[in-house]
Amino acid sequence: MTAGDMDKVEVFDAGSKGRGLKTKQEFWSGDVIFAEPAYAAVVFDNLTYHVCHGCFKKQAKLQRCMQCKFAHYCDRTCQKAAWTEHKSECSAIRNYGKAPNESIRLASRILWRMRRDGALVPEDRLVSIEDLQDHLDDLNEDERKQLNLDVEVFQRYWQPKAQELSTETMSHIFGVINCNGFTISDQRGLQAVGVGLFTNLCLVNHDCWPNCTVILNNGKIELRAVAPIKVGEELMVSYVDFLSLSAERRKSLKEQYYFDCSCEHCQKGMKDDLMQAVKEEDGKKPPEETVTGVIEFSKTTLEKVEKERQEGVWANVVKLCRACLKKQEPVLADTNLYKLKILSLVSEVLSYLQQFEEAADYAKQMVEGYQKLYHHNNAQLGMALMRAGVTHWHAGRIEPGHAMICQAYGIILVTHGPTHPISKDLEAMRCQTEMELRMFKENEFIYYQMREAALKNQKMQVMGEPAGNYIKELFHRRK
């Protein structure tokens, strides 16, 4: 990031929201407003041995640091590049005897970085760590207990240097992490693998229907416009996934980020009617008790499905979802959130089980519902269209599959940019399906013969084992 990147924006008083960022020039959909490397970042505790601690790529084989035996890297190049950040950590882990949790590791890296940088704030950083909001006064009893515990462990981990830090300083750093920790994704942007702090990003406020999105690309976050933005307009991102009722989003934002959302979509409950929609026949809705019964059945099914997912019993997941959809079909509209959840689950699992025909039917219903709810340049919509397009391709439905992949590519170009690995994957898929579509239209019989032969060496891959942990929220909160 250069100082010039930040010349496009300025900090301003956003009233009840505190500080915010607004533009000093116009932007169009897909423009990068600024890019920013992490001030500090760490790998999640449960992925220590599976993700490089330098570049955050998932690798089958990693080389560990021979001194602390904790940090793992792709190779010597990654290890050497990460040594400045790891040097103090390496010594602390050896002295402490083990690596502490991710929050304490991140707090330590932040404080070591602050010491290296000194008191001066570089031109490319709009705010100092000391000036970031920590919301310590808003913590509930359990959160305060966890913070005090983290401070105690931190003091032992940092001995004897911790004596130089006040309790207020340590508490402030943990508070900043608690409400500003950004989710770090793997190289393809599909799985959360770590948490980091990006100081300039911390100044961007929330809106449920934002004009920007944030993506991690090549080690930096990029703030990208998803709609035209005028000079002087505030830059906004969504801290939570949009697919929840406005009351539920507001509740989540209040609990996680300590503010009351006053965006237009929350104030007016926009799209809540679609998210709760039921089917109508001749202008008549199903009886209220029928709707309530189906909703309760859906909730129970989702609980059962989660248990089966944890155990990897995919056949039972499909069975439960089919039974639930049978109950939902005559009652709930295709935009109803409970129906969309089941459609998403069953289409993904059926794709994994290579039952592509049925998976494609459900995926089509799902993306048609999403398109009525999400912003047209929403990354989650783009990813859903990509998965649905691949499923249709596997099912031999080349025309709708190609159309979905093209739609996905158009969205992902805006949200991720042309250099992101997902964009490159989609471009390859788009070219492949476009070529196959031409062949299909010229001679359908020959196309299917060639397709059958080519499938033994096909490049396009179905999604891996259903994980259910696709990134839907920008900021990471300890569970």
Side-chain angles (χ1 to χ4, degrees):
M1 181 176 62
T2 65
D5 288 330
M6 305 317 299
D7 285 343
K8 305 172 185 176
V9 301
E10 61 181 335
V11 183
F12 78 108
D13 183 352
S16 61
K17 293 182 289 186
R19 291 167 299 183
L21 281 187
K22 65 180 180 180
T23 64
K24 295 167 71 175
Q25 67 180 64
E26 288 187 345
F27 292 99
W28 297 96
S29 298
D31 285 348
V32 176
I33 298 166
F34 67 78
E36 179 184 10
Y39 186 84
V42 296
V43 173
F44 285 150
D45 296 335
N46 63 333
L47 293 173
T48 295
Y49 309 114
H50 307 289
V51 174
C52 175
H53 290 218
C55 69
F56 289 86
K57 290 182 179 179
K58 292 189 71 177
Q59 300 281 9
K61 293 183 179 180
L62 294 169
Q63 300 176 11
R64 71 176 181 177
C65 173
M66 296 308 296
Q67 296 186 56
C68 67
K69 306 293 192 296
F70 171 74
H72 286 68
Y73 302 96
C74 299
D75 50 33
R76 290 285 297 174
T77 301
C78 274
Q79 185 173 8
K80 186 176 180 180
W83 179 242
T84 300
E85 286 72 31
H86 180 58
K87 183 178 179 181
S88 298
E89 177 184 69
C90 188
S91 176
I93 290 172
R94 282 183 282 134
N95 291 334
Y96 188 56
K98 62 179 181 179
N101 68 45
E102 61 210 34
S103 293
I104 293 170
R105 288 188 286 118
L106 181 56
S108 300
R109 286 197 168 203
I110 290 170
L111 285 161
W112 282 316
R113 174 74 185 271
M114 291 172 68
R115 287 191 168 191
R116 290 198 305 270
D117 290 354
L120 293 177
V121 179
E123 289 183 9
D124 61 358
R125 201 178 310 144
L126 300 176
V127 63
S128 67
I129 300 295
E130 291 88 347
D131 289 335
L132 289 175
Q133 180 63 261
D134 57 29
H135 285 287
L136 292 178
D137 293 338
D138 297 312
L139 299 181
N140 61 37
E141 185 177 349
D142 289 339
E143 290 170 334
R144 191 165 292 281
K145 284 181 180 178
Q146 183 61 58
L147 182 138
N148 291 336
L149 179 61
D150 283 342
V151 169
E152 289 179 13
V153 175
F154 177 86
Q155 288 173 323
R156 294 196 296 272
Y157 177 60
W158 255 55
Q159 286 286 359
K161 295 180 180 179
Q163 296 173 359
E164 304 170 18
L165 300 171
S166 67
T167 301
E168 290 76 16
T169 297
M170 289 182 279
S171 297
H172 172 72
I173 297 299
F174 283 111
V176 167
I177 293 171
N178 187 51
C179 55
N180 291 292
F182 182 85
T183 301
I184 303 290
S185 65
D186 62 4
Q187 61 268 40
R188 297 186 72 242
L190 297 176
Q191 183 184 1
V193 298
V195 57
L197 185 69
F198 298 81
T199 55
N200 292 335
L201 180 62
C202 293
L203 295 170
V204 182
N205 287 317
H206 164 86
D207 193 289
C208 292
W209 200 258
N211 54 15
C212 296
T213 190
V214 181
I215 195 70
L216 190 72
N217 189 12
N218 196 29
K220 295 181 179 181
I221 61 98
E222 293 177 347
L223 184 71
R224 306 182 67 93
V226 296
I229 302 174
K230 299 176 182 178
V231 175
E233 188 174 342
E234 183 175 6
L235 300 169
M236 312 289 280
V237 296
S238 181
Y239 295 178
V240 296
D241 185 37
F242 182 69
L243 287 197
S244 295
L245 296 175
S246 56
E248 293 174 359
R249 291 198 306 272
R250 295 187 75 181
K251 181 174 182 289
S252 177
L253 289 163
K254 182 68 172 178
E255 291 176 350
Q256 295 185 54
Y257 305 105
Y258 315 106
F259 70 87
D260 296 305
C261 184
S262 58
C263 76
E264 183 181 17
H265 276 67
C266 279
Q267 287 185 327
K268 296 181 178 179
M270 295 169 71
K271 302 217 174 187
D272 282 0
D273 55 339
L274 288 174
M275 294 183 191
Q276 302 176 94
V278 297
K279 287 190 172 178
E280 295 186 26
E281 189 171 341
D282 297 328
K284 294 183 179 180
K285 295 181 179 180
E288 188 174 335
E289 58 269 23
T290 300
V291 175
T292 302
V294 171
I295 295 298
E296 290 303 316
F297 185 84
S298 300
K299 290 179 180 179
T300 302
T301 297
L302 288 168
E303 292 173 0
K304 292 178 180 178
V305 163
E306 183 57 32
K307 182 179 178 182
E308 299 294 345
R309 281 168 63 93
Q310 294 295 329
E311 297 176 2
V313 187
W314 306 115
N316 286 354
V317 171
V318 173
K319 184 179 179 181
L320 287 164
C321 288
R322 283 172 177 158
C324 190
L325 285 169
K326 189 175 181 180
K327 286 262 191 185
Q328 291 178 342
E329 186 57 35
V331 179
L332 304 184
D334 286 348
T335 56
N336 188 286
L337 292 181
Y338 286 103
K339 190 169 186 179
L340 287 172
K341 288 175 183 178
I342 298 296
L343 287 170
S344 175
L345 286 165
V346 72
S347 62
E348 184 182 5
V349 174
L350 283 168
S351 291
Y352 172 67
L353 297 175
Q354 298 188 27
Q355 298 178 35
F356 299 116
E357 288 282 346
E358 188 179 1
D361 289 336
Y362 293 135
K364 182 175 182 292
Q365 275 187 276
M366 176 190 71
V367 295
E368 286 175 349
Y370 283 175
Q371 287 173 319
K372 295 174 183 176
L373 296 174
Y374 275 127
H375 185 282
H376 63 277
N377 279 332
N378 184 284
Q380 294 300 323
L381 174 59
M383 298 299 291
L385 279 163
M386 181 184 76
R387 290 192 288 268
V390 173
T391 299
H392 277 71
W393 181 86
H394 278 285
R397 302 179 184 181
I398 185 65
E399 288 191 86
H402 176 66
M404 289 177 182
I405 287 170
C406 286
Q407 290 178 71
Y409 184 57
I411 295 170
I412 296 299
L413 274 181
V414 171
T415 61
H416 291 60
T419 64
H420 195 279
I422 286 292
S423 302
K424 293 179 179 178
D425 287 350
L426 270 167
E427 170 63 4
M429 292 179 195
R430 188 187 66 81
C431 292
Q432 181 175 336
T433 54
E434 185 176 355
M435 177 188 67
E436 291 188 21
L437 185 56
R438 284 199 300 267
M439 294 171 58
F440 174 81
K441 289 181 176 180
E442 289 172 3
N443 192 314
E444 186 175 338
F445 177 73
I446 293 178
Y447 164 73
Y448 279 117
Q449 280 191 321
M450 294 180 66
R451 173 188 168 84
E452 187 175 348
L455 276 174
K456 296 177 182 178
N457 192 34
Q458 50 99 356
K459 295 181 180 180
M460 291 175 67
Q461 299 292 325
V462 70
M463 301 300 289
E465 181 172 303
N469 58 348
Y470 302 117
I471 300 172
K472 292 188 176 182
E473 298 187 358
L474 294 179
F475 295 95
H476 171 74
R477 288 274 298 184
R478 178 186 290 182
K479 303 300 181 184

